[in-house]
Amino acid sequence: MRQDHLITATQLSRPDIEAVLDRAREIDGSREAFEQRYSGSVLALCFFEPSTRTKMSFETAAKRLGAETIDMGSIESSSVKKGESLADTVRVIEGYADALVLRHPSEGSAKMASEFVDVPVINAGDGAGQHPSQTLLDLHTIRERHGLDDLTIGIMGDLKYGRTVHSLASALTNFDATQHFISPESLRLPRSVRFDLHESGAQVREHTELDAVLPELDVLYVTRIQRERFPDENEYHQIAGEYRIDADTLSAADPDLTVMHPLPRVDEIAADVDETSHARYFEQAHNGVPVRMALLDMLLGGDAA
Amino acid sequence: MSPDRELRVSKIRNGTVIDHITGGQSLNVLAILGIDGSEEFSLSIGMNVPSDRLGRKDILKVEGRELSQSEVDVLSLIAPEATINIVRDYEVVEKNRVERPTEVVGVLSCPNRNCISNDDEPVETRFAVMDDGVRCDYCSEILRDRIAEHIDV
């Protein structure tokens, strides 16, 4: 199946995912074989929201492939502040670049952008919607350690607004995975995501506490609960505290448990977890480069997954 | 229809009669059809008329305008029982039910305030029609209840 854009994880089939991850593995093994492959190509990084690691890892991936990157500078100094529509912005930038990476605060922004341009659009986060390139690197991390079938994963934290969660949950329906969702009631998965999981026949359970399910897990994927989701500061502190893990929490876990986090973390994973064999979140972040190199290779090279 | 009810809304010579509209929805039907009373043609609206089938129903008679099937199919979202009668020279020449379309474009606003279709962008809203609701093509939000409240035409 050929695809021109990467907008949502729901568009990805199992062969699509495996093709990207196989390519990432290949790149990991022989990075020099891919260097300069896209010399002369230009990747536009259109970030309408702050980003450190997603932007830097796309930039690194492009540069390791020999491509140049351009960006919009700060939003404050750009034409967006003058009231330009996203549709106009991407139509202009399309003329400068061979592919666009877009992060935007509105859900559906990447989908809309893709309707206005002919170059590939990669959704690098659309509001509380999707973040499919993050999912590919998450899956790469899981696959290299556990494989993607016969997997039991717990996904914990802000499941309502967490775009990495929405994309990961959707992509995992392609595999034989049991998904446990652990969150406060007010931050459970949105209806649209639950609907898709149900439609796909996924094995899904929802919980408000980690304790009971922790020993079963192969992977625990932790996300940040943001202060701004709660009108009341005390309520935030009380609820966020219940979804915080430390080395002591993990004493009840399987010794092979992998703990992941899309980062940045604040204090939902205590620093003492970093020293345990469970911690894989920095490795996960590093995987952003080979996976995004693979993704760019497939979209720019025209043999898209 | 009993003679008693015939009196409520007079017959039309040429045009479209939309009957069996869910009670109270006729103004939304007009909004969807883009009819606001400023047009040349005459229009009769019956609201909350007693109906054997629906309990109460609305009925619209649009003089001098024939509505196409695709124009009226979108009505199925708020008036699934509606029937469309095309009238020529006082005779009903065509009688159709509304059919659920596969998508509705430019009719509903997305209930997700953070959806790009609610930003100031040059796009029409687009919803896929599901068995029991509609779904935004942009942000995937599902709208099941009170669809009429999101009509924005």
Side-chain angles (χ1 to χ4, degrees):
Chain A
M1 184 170 71
R2 178 171 155 67
Q3 297 182 352
D4 298 321
H5 308 285
L6 180 59
I7 304 300
T8 156
T10 55
Q11 79 185 73
L12 296 172
S13 67
R14 181 178 180 129
D16 291 337
I17 293 166
E18 288 175 338
V20 176
L21 302 192
D22 285 349
R23 186 69 54 92
R25 192 182 272 170
E26 197 185 328
I27 289 169
D28 251 344
S30 60
R31 200 165 278 194
E32 58 287 350
F34 289 83
E35 279 173 10
Q36 304 312 315
R37 182 172 280 200
Y38 291 95
S39 170
S41 295
V42 176
L43 181 68
L45 303 171
C46 310
F47 281 70
F48 291 77
E49 270 187 347
S51 161
T52 308
R53 64 217 72 242
T54 302
K55 188 175 174 190
M56 285 181 76
S57 86
F58 267 113
E59 201 164 353
T60 308
K63 288 180 171 162
R64 289 206 185 278
L65 290 168
E68 302 285 330
T69 60
I70 53 172
D71 65 37
M72 308 194 302
S74 76
I75 292 295
E76 281 64 32
S77 62
S78 74
S79 55
V80 176
K81 268 283 176 214
K82 298 171 190 154
E84 186 177 52
S85 68
L86 175 63
D88 276 5
T89 305
V90 295
R91 277 182 287 188
V92 170
I93 296 174
E94 173 187 27
Y96 307 156
D98 300 291
L100 307 184
V101 178
L102 177 69
R103 170 166 296 182
H104 191 278
S106 297
E107 283 99 74
S109 49
K111 163 96 176 184
M112 190 205 74
S114 72
E115 294 173 356
F116 283 89
V117 300
D118 290 325
V119 299
V121 173
I122 298 171
N123 181 6
D126 61 332
Q130 290 269 323
H131 193 354
S133 71
Q134 174 73 41
T135 290
L136 290 168
L137 74 89
D138 293 341
L139 294 176
H140 183 65
T141 309
I142 297 170
R143 188 199 203 199
E144 295 304 302
R145 199 162 155 78
H146 297 275
L148 289 169
D149 282 311
D150 197 20
L151 181 79
T152 302
I153 185 170
I155 302 180
M156 181 167 84
D158 181 351
L159 310 183
K160 184 175 183 183
Y161 299 100
R163 56 195 172 201
T164 63
V165 171
H166 306 160
S167 290
L168 180 60
S170 158
L172 282 169
T173 62
N174 288 294
F175 302 91
D176 180 20
T178 302
Q179 303 190 56
H180 295 275
F181 294 98
I182 306 127
S183 74
E185 186 64 34
S186 62
L187 294 177
R188 64 192 285 236
L189 285 175
R191 178 161 75 169
S192 61
V193 176
R194 279 184 279 128
F195 177 85
D196 285 335
L197 293 176
H198 179 74
E199 286 287 293
S200 70
Q203 301 165 66
V204 171
R205 300 277 180 282
E206 291 184 277
H207 314 264
T208 52
E209 287 175 17
L210 174 65
D211 299 0
V213 73
L214 178 63
E216 298 174 34
L217 302 179
D218 300 309
V219 174
L220 176 60
Y221 192 97
V222 183
T223 65
R224 185 157 50 102
I225 293 179
Q226 294 180 31
R227 188 176 305 235
E228 57 265 33
R229 304 299 178 206
F230 293 89
D232 181 78
E233 176 100 10
N234 288 334
E235 189 189 356
Y236 160 74
H237 282 295
Q238 190 210 326
I239 288 183
E242 292 169 20
Y243 298 90
R244 205 165 280 153
I245 61 164
D246 55 23
D248 194 38
T249 319
L250 297 180
S251 59
D254 187 286
D256 288 333
L257 172 78
T258 292
V259 175
M260 296 171 66
H261 191 300
L263 303 180
R265 71 168 154 175
V266 181
D267 56 2
E268 56 277 13
I269 300 179
D272 63 3
V273 178
D274 301 357
E275 307 308 320
T276 70
S277 61
H278 302 299
R280 294 285 157 180
Y281 25 91
F282 294 112
E283 175 186 320
Q284 179 189 358
H286 297 163
N287 283 336
V289 174
V291 169
R292 290 183 168 119
M293 285 173 76
L295 180 62
L296 291 173
D297 184 33
M298 303 188 91
L299 289 172
L300 290 170
D303 62 340
Chain B
M1 192 179 285
S2 70
D4 169 50
R5 277 175 226 159
E6 286 279 347
L7 288 175
R8 294 175 200 272
V9 184
S10 61
K11 279 197 163 193
I12 60 171
R13 180 170 182 176
N14 294 302
T16 308
V17 177
I18 307 175
D19 200 357
H20 303 107
I21 298 167
T22 313
Q25 289 295 337
S26 55
L27 297 179
N28 284 324
V29 167
L30 288 172
I32 289 177
L33 298 174
I35 297 171
D36 64 5
S38 65
E39 299 83 358
E40 296 278 301
F41 47 78
S42 66
L43 179 70
S44 309
I45 308 174
M47 292 184 83
N48 296 323
V49 177
S51 160
D52 293 339
R53 191 172 354 146
L54 299 175
R56 62 191 184 99
K57 66 173 184 180
D58 287 6
I59 180 166
L60 284 174
K61 298 194 176 189
V62 184
E63 176 81 54
R65 187 165 161 211
E66 289 186 13
L67 298 166
S68 69
Q69 187 72 32
S70 63
E71 226 175 342
V72 298
D73 277 349
V74 68
L75 305 183
S76 66
L77 297 177
I78 59 165
E81 302 293 327
T83 51
I84 314 298
N85 303 296
I86 303 294
V87 178
R88 287 179 200 147
D89 208 15
Y90 299 110
E91 295 295 324
V92 173
V93 295
E94 216 178 292
K95 197 176 182 86
N96 295 311
R97 297 290 296 268
V98 291
E99 288 171 23
R100 280 177 90 74
T102 54
E103 66 171 12
V104 289
V105 178
V107 172
L108 301 170
S109 64
C110 184
N112 172 12
R113 284 182 301 150
N114 205 41
C115 175
I116 192 75
S117 68
N118 287 322
D119 286 357
D120 195 12
E121 296 290 340
V123 288
E124 289 195 292
T125 61
R126 203 166 60 223
F127 287 80
V129 178
M130 311 189 301
D131 289 344
D132 59 348
V134 296
R135 186 167 204 187
C136 177
D137 257 11
Y138 288 105
C139 75
S140 299
E141 182 86 357
I142 294 170
L143 177 57
R144 285 212 175 97
D145 311 316
R146 302 199 294 272
I147 288 177
E149 288 174 19
H150 296 279
I151 292 169
D152 181 25
V153 286

